[in-house]
Amino acid sequence: MPQANWTDFFFLGFSRYPKVEAIIFVLCLLMYLITLLGNVTLISITILDSHLHTPMYFFLSNLSFLDIWYTSSALTPMLANFVSGKNTISFSGCATQMYFSLALGSTECVLLSMMAYDRYMAICNPLRYPIIMNRRVCVQIAAGSWVTGCLTALVETMSVLPLSLCGNSSIDHFTCEILAVLKLVCVDTSMVQLIMLVISVLLLPMPMLLICISYAFILSSILRISSVDGRSKAYSTCTAHLTVVVLFYGTALSMYLKPSAVDSQEIDKFMALVYAGLTPMLNPIIYSLRNKEVKMAVKKLLIRNPLNSVLISTLK
């Protein structure tokens, strides 16, 4: 990528809001810590409890691992820059951050749709589920999600790197987000925007459509449940899952598939906080820590230590 007479980028971040910048920092720090705690806990429980060695928790562990790195790639540099007061990043560091942010976000788009398909198979085809979703298939689905995310991110990143930049090195964002970096480019970006449009359509509306179709069949099956309590619990679970899906895909869609006439960088920053910070924090809570199986697994682990009896009582 041809560079001007500088080698570093400068993040503007939320400097336009000096009165609330400290509040944003505290909120982001809390989101990051809760994300780490929730996802590390879920991964640990899934590994330690053999009863959770199922396709659903295999995918949830992948999601948790993904969310840890996704949030770290987006929020950690911002938090570090706020503490140090140094809002700069090297050219190579920016390119690396851009790639990993795109790769992890794209992977999550695919993985969430595959998780919805897994739930569809488990609820709508319970007898064939163990045969269809065997370990080999689960590994292939997870690997396919990661490969798809990494390859599409590589295409997007490599399409941006050869472009010439103007003299302005200030990125109006808190991270090297590809749309913010493109605003520094002097040459025509129509080809890059076309590539991004195609990839965004493949990774956003299409997976979301698959999720909606899967949950439509799931809800149809729920209607056949005779137990009122069982039906209510199933509706609650589906609603919680769909809430996370709408938050993640909705904010991403509003950024990457919005009309060109609508361009608000300030809104984009807060949108980025939602899908890079809020949804990874909510995922382990909504997808797993509300589940009876996970609560039982936590109790089994805590009961080995009598000092944790207080913690056990809170899980009842």
Side-chain angles (χ1 to χ4, degrees):
M1 185 178 189
Q3 300 181 50
N5 297 323
W6 38 264
T7 57
D8 292 338
F9 290 100
F10 179 80
F11 292 125
L12 294 179
F14 296 96
S15 57
R16 295 177 182 175
Y17 308 99
K19 294 183 179 180
V20 297
E21 197 171 12
I23 297 175
I24 294 174
F25 168 78
V26 172
L27 291 176
C28 289
L29 180 61
L30 288 175
M31 282 195 297
Y32 181 60
L33 294 176
I34 294 172
T35 299
L36 285 181
L37 178 62
N39 286 293
V40 169
T41 300
L42 178 58
I43 293 173
S44 302
I45 292 172
T46 304
I47 294 173
L48 295 174
D49 195 313
S50 59
H51 294 93
L52 300 182
H53 293 175
T54 63
M56 182 178 78
Y57 289 102
F58 170 76
F59 289 124
L60 286 172
S61 295
N62 270 270
L63 181 63
S64 292
F65 180 78
L66 172 65
D67 281 340
I68 290 172
W69 289 104
Y70 188 29
T71 307
S72 297
S73 68
L75 296 187
T76 303
M78 183 189 72
L79 296 173
N81 289 338
F82 183 87
V83 173
S84 64
K86 182 182 178 182
N87 294 322
T88 59
I89 188 172
S90 66
F91 176 83
S92 58
C94 185
T96 302
Q97 188 182 70
M98 182 192 302
Y99 170 75
F100 280 105
S101 178
L102 288 170
L104 295 168
S106 300
T107 302
E108 181 152 350
C109 287
V110 181
L111 188 60
L112 285 173
S113 64
M114 293 298 99
M115 289 171 61
Y117 174 74
D118 171 70
R119 289 297 82 210
Y120 158 73
M121 293 302 301
I123 295 174
C124 300
N125 297 280
L127 297 179
R128 299 174 58 197
Y129 177 69
I131 300 173
I132 297 175
M133 299 300 293
N134 56 63
R135 183 166 184 81
R136 180 183 176 184
V137 171
C138 291
V139 171
Q140 289 175 342
I141 289 176
S145 300
W146 282 93
V147 170
T148 301
C150 292
L151 288 179
T152 53
L154 183 62
V155 171
E156 289 181 290
T157 304
M158 293 306 296
S159 67
V160 173
L161 293 183
L163 302 178
S164 299
L165 299 177
C166 300
N168 182 19
S169 61
S170 297
I171 299 177
D172 193 7
H173 213 282
F174 58 85
T175 184
C176 284
E177 205 276 327
I178 188 169
L179 294 177
V181 174
L182 278 176
K183 295 182 185 298
L184 307 181
V185 175
C186 299
V187 298
D188 180 39
T189 61
S190 57
M191 181 56 67
V192 177
Q193 291 177 353
L194 178 61
I195 292 172
M196 291 181 60
L197 176 63
V198 172
I199 292 176
S200 296
V201 170
L202 292 174
L203 294 179
L204 290 171
M206 291 185 66
M208 191 170 183
L209 179 62
L210 178 60
I211 292 173
C212 292
I213 293 174
S214 297
Y215 274 98
F217 282 106
I218 290 172
L219 290 173
S220 177
S221 297
I222 290 173
L223 292 175
R224 303 189 192 101
I225 299 176
S226 57
S227 171
V228 177
D229 291 337
R231 189 184 306 164
S232 176
K233 182 179 179 181
Y235 271 126
S236 175
T237 301
C238 288
T239 302
H241 291 187
L242 288 174
T243 300
V244 174
V245 167
V246 170
L247 275 175
F248 180 79
Y249 285 99
T251 51
L253 282 167
S254 67
M255 282 188 61
Y256 292 101
L257 290 178
K258 65 184 177 184
S260 57
V262 180
D263 186 14
S264 176
Q265 194 61 36
E266 299 305 314
I267 295 177
D268 285 352
K269 294 177 191 178
F270 288 99
M271 290 290 186
L273 285 179
V274 173
Y275 69 74
L278 183 61
T279 53
M281 180 187 73
L282 294 177
N283 280 341
I285 299 173
I286 290 179
Y287 277 104
S288 300
L289 299 181
R290 297 169 71 249
N291 292 358
K292 183 178 180 180
E293 295 88 348
V294 175
K295 290 182 179 180
M296 291 300 295
V298 173
K299 288 180 183 180
K300 289 178 183 178
L301 293 175
L302 294 179
I303 204 168
R304 298 173 185 174
N305 186 352
L307 295 177
N308 290 321
S309 58
V310 176
L311 290 176
I312 296 174
S313 62
T314 62
L315 295 171
K316 294 182 179 180

